[in-house]
Amino acid sequence: MGVATIMGKWKTALVALAAVVGGVGFIGHEARACSRCVYLGPGGGVIVARSMDWMEDTRSNFHVFPRGMARDGAAGANSIAWTSRYGSVVGTIYDVAAVDGMNEEGLVANILYLAESDYGKPDGTKPTLCISQWAQYVLDRYATVAEAVEALRAEPFVIVAPTLPNGSPATGHLAITDPTGDTAVFEYVDGKLAIHHGRQYRVMTNSPTFDKQLAIDAYWKEIGGEAMLPGTHRAADRFVRASYYLEAIPEIADDRQAIAATTSVIRSVSVPLGITTPGEPNIASTLWRSIHDLKNRTVYIDSAVSPTVFWISLSALDFSEGAPVKKLALSGGETYSGEASSELRDSEPFTPLAGAGE
């Protein structure tokens, strides 16, 4: 493709982008970083990968929760209450909020930062749920994306978003995927819930909101990834690169090769360790990555400070009601190699970040 052709397509697509996005200042309205991508392979293979990018140590651990646990929304006297139907493995931030996980039915949930999030104000007409329990609520109660979408569209609770232990706002959007490859993205903007539901929604990063990210991605598809890709660490650029690479890699029947390919995609949109930009916390180092193999019910953990990848096979875990809660400690710098289920230790459930509901 000639330079003149590339530039012509670029100008045409830029005009279309400006019309769709409306000239939003997404360059200056970034949030804390993270990326998520979904690989759909032949033979029912579905792999979900996410990166955890943050400006400091997130003190993350991974926890195993059995069925039958009584929980509440950690959001005041009007908190929603439930009992877990499914066991799950979850990863935390500051060990006070579940931001990553898979349940025994193969449903995966990931929360990524979104500065534009506005959940509305509790008015007493609905129960409340702290954002620290949002992903856990979904993993505890639903087996499929369709089931979750149907239930959550009715907005059975109001989300409360307090500040994290480091003083950052606890605001984010939620993406879920099940073993069929069905995916849904949930965002609250201006107090209203927006749901994007379908297998086509395979990438999520941060700001701007998901509808605008899709418009930006469409703009770059007009240019063509083989001609040019945006190369910064900004959320919109990471979205475009992950989207392109997911479509560029071939269909892979071998599970190990598919996991390797998906891992390479999430690594390609990660931020090198040690990089931070004052005033732009979105440009923060990738601390760890999780890769969920939904078909084989396995979660792989790829730490930026460890030379090895380790994993937890859900088939090796006891999710029966009354089984002990387990923890795989990472917050003290621990690292593992290979299948790490034997390294899980009995533990009390972590105490979720609490929000003040009304």
Side-chain angles (χ1 to χ4, degrees):
M1 184 181 296
V3 174
T5 302
I6 294 172
M7 295 306 294
K9 293 182 70 176
W10 192 351
K11 290 178 180 178
T12 300
L14 184 59
V15 171
L17 176 67
V20 174
V21 180
V24 296
F26 63 85
I27 296 299
H29 191 44
E30 293 276 344
R32 279 73 172 169
C34 287
S35 303
R36 181 187 198 263
C37 62
V38 181
Y39 175 77
L40 304 176
V46 178
I47 301 167
V48 177
R50 72 84 53 86
S51 66
M52 170 57 77
D53 304 355
W54 203 246
M55 75 291 290
E56 64 180 8
D57 183 5
T58 58
R59 304 195 291 278
S60 298
N61 295 304
F62 277 76
H63 299 259
V64 177
F65 295 124
R67 303 174 215 114
M69 291 188 67
R71 299 190 188 273
D72 67 70
N78 198 32
S79 291
I80 193 170
W82 71 96
T83 299
S84 61
R85 298 171 182 166
Y86 307 106
S88 60
V89 176
V90 303
T92 62
I93 184 170
Y94 296 114
D95 221 28
V96 298
V99 294
D100 186 271
M102 176 164 59
N103 70 18
E104 59 185 306
E105 295 297 314
L107 182 71
V108 169
N110 311 98
I111 291 181
L112 279 62
Y113 201 92
L114 184 68
E116 292 89 344
S117 297
D118 174 3
Y119 307 100
K121 299 292 185 182
D123 61 7
T125 62
K126 291 183 178 181
T128 49
L129 175 76
C130 185
I131 191 172
S132 62
Q133 293 283 68
W134 192 12
Q136 190 68 64
Y137 178 89
V138 172
L139 293 172
D140 283 351
R141 294 182 58 82
Y142 307 117
T144 68
V145 169
E147 181 186 6
V149 168
E150 181 179 4
L152 297 180
R153 182 176 282 125
E155 299 188 56
F157 48 74
V158 177
I159 291 179
V160 174
T163 57
L164 291 168
N166 74 336
S168 297
T171 56
H173 49 178
L174 169 70
I176 60 175
T177 300
D178 68 26
T180 71
D182 194 15
T183 290
V185 174
F186 301 83
E187 293 183 343
Y188 286 85
V189 181
D190 296 328
K192 297 180 180 179
L193 174 63
I195 303 175
H196 305 267
H197 180 200
R199 282 170 56 94
Q200 70 271 31
Y201 300 125
R202 299 169 61 190
V203 177
M204 187 173 83
T205 57
N206 315 110
S207 296
T209 53
F210 196 71
D211 57 337
K212 295 181 175 66
Q213 290 280 26
L214 295 174
I216 295 165
D217 189 42
Y219 151 62
W220 280 100
K221 285 180 178 178
E222 284 291 320
I223 296 172
E226 293 183 0
M228 184 184 302
L229 282 173
T232 78
H233 300 311
R234 295 181 182 277
D237 288 5
R238 287 183 277 111
F239 190 108
V240 170
R241 292 203 306 278
S243 179
Y244 171 75
Y245 290 135
L246 279 176
E247 294 182 2
I249 58 178
E251 290 191 346
I252 305 170
D254 181 83
D255 291 340
R256 290 183 62 186
Q257 292 295 319
I259 291 166
T262 309
T263 302
S264 71
V265 172
I266 200 65
R267 285 174 173 170
S268 76
V269 294
S270 296
V271 182
L273 194 65
I275 289 182
T276 57
T277 300
E280 293 190 70
N282 62 290
I283 303 181
S285 299
T286 297
L287 304 179
W288 52 266
R289 290 163 286 262
S290 66
I291 302 93
H292 292 84
D293 178 356
L294 281 64
K295 176 182 175 183
N296 296 299
R297 306 291 198 274
T298 303
V299 54
Y300 296 83
I301 303 161
D302 180 21
S303 171
V305 297
S306 171
T308 62
V309 174
F310 51 95
W311 58 91
I312 301 171
S313 302
L314 271 66
S315 61
L317 306 179
D318 182 5
F319 290 118
S320 61
E321 185 171 349
V325 172
K326 300 277 188 176
K327 180 171 78 172
L328 187 69
L330 302 177
S331 58
E334 298 90 340
T335 188
Y336 309 93
S337 180
E339 217 290 330
S341 298
S342 63
E343 303 292 341
L344 289 159
R345 298 291 180 262
D346 290 359
S347 173
E348 292 297 316
F350 68 86
T351 301
L353 180 71
E358 295 181 2

